[in-house]
Amino acid sequence: MADNSKTEDAASDSVEAAKNASNKKEKLSDQVMQNPQVLAALQDRLDNTALTPSSYIETLPKAVKRRIDALKQLQVKCAHIEAKFYEEVHDLERKYAALYQPLFDKRREFINGEAEPTDAESEWHSENEEEDKLAGDLKNVVVIEEKAEEANVKGIPDFWFTIFRNVDMLSELVQEYDEPILKHLQDIKVKFSEPGQPMSFSLEFHFGPNDYFSNSVLTKTYKMKSEPDKTDPFSFEGPEIVDCEGCTIDWKKGKNVTVKTIKKKQKHKGRGTVRTITKQVPNDSFFNFFSPMKVSADGEALDEDSEFTLAADFEIGHFFRERIVPRAVLYFTGEAIEDDDNFEEDEEGEEEELEGEEEGEEEEDAESDPKKDSSQPAECKQQ
């Protein structure tokens, strides 16, 4: 009996202790929930959770989630159709490149002085036609001297080299010792991969005879991919350059501008004697463009600097293909560059103008509403 009594007393004490602990918890909870700062933090957390798309999806019923998964399946199929679309676009580019080529061949002839344009071919009405006419009248005064000078001018001197100087993306790559070589550049062509071959395009840089290398053509090929990534199909936005391949430049002796020779002194550890050795090290040059960094075949990740270098290379190749080669004369005259600059300035101007209009509307509303008293605190204005 004594043992039973002790057991009952112990049980009673445990229940009492549990009640006390529960009461303390409730009191603490009440105190916490009455704290405005705690309530604000909880509300903020709930608001942020509500604004997260993924958290909203998690709250949906299982049947709805199943339908969303079906939509994703459809989206993947759309990405594959889009990839086929871009493959056909590439075929169209190849087809129209053949139509452009006769015009580009004639452009090359005019640039290099291989042919002279007819009067009809050289007729062009510029915006500054009156100024050109006045300049023409003045020109007649010294026509004899002009003709003597023109007889020595062949084609359009330094055509491609001038484009390199005009375009910031290219001029940044060109060193002073590259310039005499680029003055021998006669043409740049874009060639598309043949039907049935993996998607790619090549840039061909045609050079006249020079004292620097024996190649008549330097090539750079960009390999492309137009298919959704298996691990991330939703990131597909069209064809992308995935690798590039240059060519070997056959430099003449002592003319390789992509390397420089440096002298280095070495001290013998034992005898203390000093000797001077010469070694070749890489040198900044536009012609490094033809010795690009290779993308790892096994998919090994590149460091940040290497990724930046490759991305810049791909961007330059794309710029040659899409802008420089098709619109060469406009980059020579600078008109294409001015158009690009004006477009950017117009965008900025529109943004500033819109901001100004919004500010004006706010001020107008404040003045037209007599109920709004600026002397009141912000809380009163919102009521």
Side-chain angles (χ1 to χ4, degrees), residues 235-247:
S235 65
F236 180 73
E237 294 182 347
E240 59 178 335
I241 298 172
V242 293
D243 199 3
C244 56
E245 195 173 284
C247 67

Side-chain angles (χ1 to χ4, degrees), residues 206-234:
H206 293 251
F207 285 85
N210 60 80
D211 297 330
Y212 297 89
F213 47 74
S214 57
N215 312 62
S216 59
V217 182
L218 301 181
T219 60
K220 181 81 169 278
T221 300
Y222 288 90
K223 300 174 183 178
M224 304 175 72
K225 183 182 78 169
S226 181
E227 59 179 309
D229 192 304
K230 291 179 181 178
T231 59
D232 186 17
F234 303 133

